[in-house]
Amino acid sequence: QTCFDGVSIKRETSLRLNLSGFNGPLIRDKSTTRFCEKERCFLMEKKITVLPGDGIGPEVVASAVKILQVIGKRYNHTFHLGYSAIGGAAIDQFNNPLPDETIAMCENSDAVLLGAVGGPKWDNNPPELRPEKGLLKIRKHFDLFANLRPVKAFPSLLASSPLKREVAENVDLMIVRELTGGIYFGEPRTKTNEGAVDTCIYSRAEIERIVDNAFELARLRRGKLCSVDKANVLDTSRLWREIVEEKKAQYPDVEVEHNLVDSVAMKLITNPGHYDVVVTENMFGDILSDEASVITGSLGVLPSASIRGDQFGLYEPVHGSAPDIAGQGKANPAATILSVAMMLQYSFGMKEEAAEIERAVNAVFEDGYFTADLAREGDRVLTTEEWTNKVINEIDASFVSESIMISYN
């Protein structure tokens, strides 16, 4: 039961972004909280813009919202949700992959939860009316320059990994991808029947800020940073490597190595446990993070966060819109649910709540409950809703158990 019998206060604190030991840039957090005398805890209110998107996006987002509601009820937080359109759904409704209405709602929010964008329905559209354009525009508009993709093996899912158990079982790495620069945003970009041009541009400032974040993360993990480039060919990569070399003097407790992108692509398959934090530019990070995702056995279990210098962030599963299974109850909602956990920790500072979601997801896997993408022969295949309910029941059961112990004590 939510308690409002305490005092209302305005809290302003200095803090650092934190996920699995990650400390990001120093930021200022201004949020209204209520202190509950009865339960001796702070009750928080947050605004979240929800962008279901295309394909299986609406299904997995619906699951994640249910988890948010359960967490809010358990910890006495209030999450105000607003829904808007992006990607193909926005093209169909507004003839714009990122309408002004969506931008305005996001600007008035503390964080954004995104499902997925894209599908063959829009493949023949002109470039400005492609669903993916909406995703690129929202990243650029909000300067979400750091994309964090944790890749950690679940013991109960190792049988689903294409890698041998002994290769995959100790994997625990974080890919830090620069998200708003490079070849995806560089100008000029042109295409004719006779040729095409894409431009890869990076400024020193763009490289420095993502590299600093990666160093901070490595410092609070296992102290190892791998910087990935193509410095034997590309000038942008040579600048990237020079800046990493300059920066490492500020982080003497972090072990740094430089690897070419083709070498890392191979080693992610042969020895992924070698890596702790991997930092790289936009296109290399896009490719390597998708490659690393198969280590866990399914794209359906990998979350991601796209953040900037304050607490605002966009949270989404790594997987795509999977239109071939949309509406069939086959989608794995784990990645989106875990993305909510990242939101709670990064944007809202709710470490305990985030850990509870992660614990519940792992417990459901350990109990042998899987969606179609992870089920093995002889396993019962759960629908998206059934698997989500297992996670909800796990959170509720944990809450009941804790309440009994508190009463007993």
Side-chain angles (χ1 to χ4, degrees):
Q1 180 178 355
T2 304
C3 176
F4 300 105
D5 57 356
V7 295
S8 290
I9 64 172
K10 188 76 174 179
R11 185 183 66 173
E12 182 172 345
T13 57
S14 295
L15 51 89
R16 289 178 179 269
L17 296 172
N18 194 323
L19 176 72
S20 301
F22 170 67
N23 270 7
L26 189 65
I27 57 178
R28 303 295 293 179
D29 166 40
K30 296 182 179 180
S31 60
T32 301
T33 66
R34 295 181 301 278
F35 186 75
C36 173
E37 288 287 353
K38 181 178 178 181
E39 301 187 20
R40 306 299 299 174
C41 63
F42 285 101
L43 315 179
M44 301 185 71
E45 290 192 36
K46 295 294 183 180
K47 294 180 180 179
I48 303 169
T49 292
V50 181
L51 307 177
D54 310 320
I56 62 172
E59 298 168 69
V60 294
V61 161
S63 292
V65 166
K66 288 181 181 178
I67 301 301
L68 259 178
Q69 292 169 336
V70 171
I71 289 294
K73 180 180 179 182
R74 173 172 173 176
Y75 292 93
N76 294 316
H77 301 310
T78 301
F79 300 115
H80 301 284
L81 306 180
Y83 288 77
S84 197
I86 192 173
I91 293 170
D92 290 348
Q93 189 174 355
F94 300 101
N95 199 39
N96 185 342
L98 185 66
D100 291 342
E101 293 87 346
T102 298
I103 293 174
M105 182 175 287
C106 292
E107 287 177 339
N108 195 39
S109 299
D110 298 299
V112 177
L113 177 64
L114 171 67
V117 299
K121 176 181 179 181
W122 305 279
D123 279 353
N124 295 321
N125 283 15
E128 67 275 10
L129 289 178
R130 296 288 296 271
E132 296 78 12
K133 193 70 173 180
L135 190 56
L136 293 176
K137 287 174 65 177
I138 197 171
R139 292 170 178 170
K140 194 70 172 180
H141 179 87
F142 289 100
D143 197 25
L144 302 172
F145 68 87
N147 180 243
L148 310 181
R149 292 189 175 185
V151 180
K152 187 172 183 177
F154 290 87
S156 54
L157 303 184
L158 288 175
S160 299
S161 173
L163 305 183
K164 294 179 180 178
R165 174 177 288 269
E166 59 268 25
V167 174
E169 61 185 351
N170 294 318
V171 172
D172 180 7
L173 63 92
M174 179 76 79
I175 295 180
V176 182
R177 169 190 171 193
E178 201 290 321
L179 201 59
T180 56
I183 201 165
Y184 291 176
F185 293 96
E187 296 290 347
R189 53 194 308 126
T190 60
K191 176 183 176 295
T192 68
N193 290 334
E194 302 303 319
V197 174
D198 290 294
T199 304
C200 184
I201 299 177
Y202 268 112
S203 69
R204 169 172 285 271
E206 286 175 318
I207 299 172
E208 285 182 338
R209 65 182 183 176
I210 192 69
V211 168
D212 274 327
N213 276 352
F215 267 111
E216 292 283 359
L217 174 54
R219 170 176 277 174
L220 294 171
R221 284 171 55 96
R222 301 196 303 276
K224 295 175 62 178
L225 177 65
C226 176
S227 176
V228 180
D229 57 43
K230 193 65 176 171
N232 60 335
V233 176
L234 302 176
D235 281 332
T236 49
S237 282
R238 282 190 273 271
L239 176 62
W240 183 285
R241 185 172 292 205
E242 290 170 6
I243 290 173
V244 173
E245 279 296 297
E246 294 170 7
K247 287 286 183 181
K248 77 176 185 181
Q250 302 174 25
Y251 303 91
D253 50 336
V254 176
E255 177 186 340
V256 179
E257 64 176 323
H258 299 277
N259 283 177
L260 298 176
V261 62
D262 39 353
S263 173
V264 175
M266 178 183 66
K267 203 165 187 175
L268 276 174
I269 299 302
T270 59
N271 186 20
H274 170 79
Y275 296 108
D276 179 18
V277 177
V278 176
V279 62
T280 191
E281 60 104 72
N282 204 341
M283 184 170 69
F284 296 162
D286 190 4
I287 296 167
L288 292 177
S289 58
D290 278 0
E291 179 193 6
S293 68
V294 304
I295 295 170
T296 64
S298 172
L299 275 171
V301 301
L302 293 182
S304 77
S306 299
I307 59 174
R308 59 189 191 190
D310 60 10
Q311 286 183 300
F312 182 84
L314 183 149
Y315 301 85
E316 60 179 316
V318 171
H319 63 68
S321 62
D324 55 317
I325 61 169
Q328 301 175 38
K330 295 181 178 180
N332 185 345
T336 316
I337 292 171
L338 291 171
S339 295
V340 164
M342 294 184 80
M343 176 192 296
L344 295 180
Q345 186 154 359
Y346 269 91
S347 286
F348 304 158
M350 300 178 183
K351 296 180 182 179
E352 180 182 346
E353 294 88 332
E356 176 59 17
I357 292 177
E358 293 169 356
R359 184 205 62 78
V361 167
N362 188 59
V364 172
F365 283 142
E366 290 292 334
D367 288 341
Y369 297 112
F370 306 104
T371 46
D373 57 317
L374 292 171
R376 300 179 293 271
E377 187 175 351
D379 288 338
R380 182 198 164 193
V381 177
L382 270 60
T383 65
T384 306
E385 183 176 7
E386 289 171 337
W387 196 88
T388 303
N389 288 337
K390 291 292 184 184
V391 178
I392 291 171
N393 292 339
E394 182 66 34
I395 294 172
D396 279 344
S398 173
F399 181 48
V400 170
S401 176
E402 288 178 9
S403 298
I404 291 173
M405 290 300 296
I406 292 171
S407 299
Y408 180 78
N409 292 334

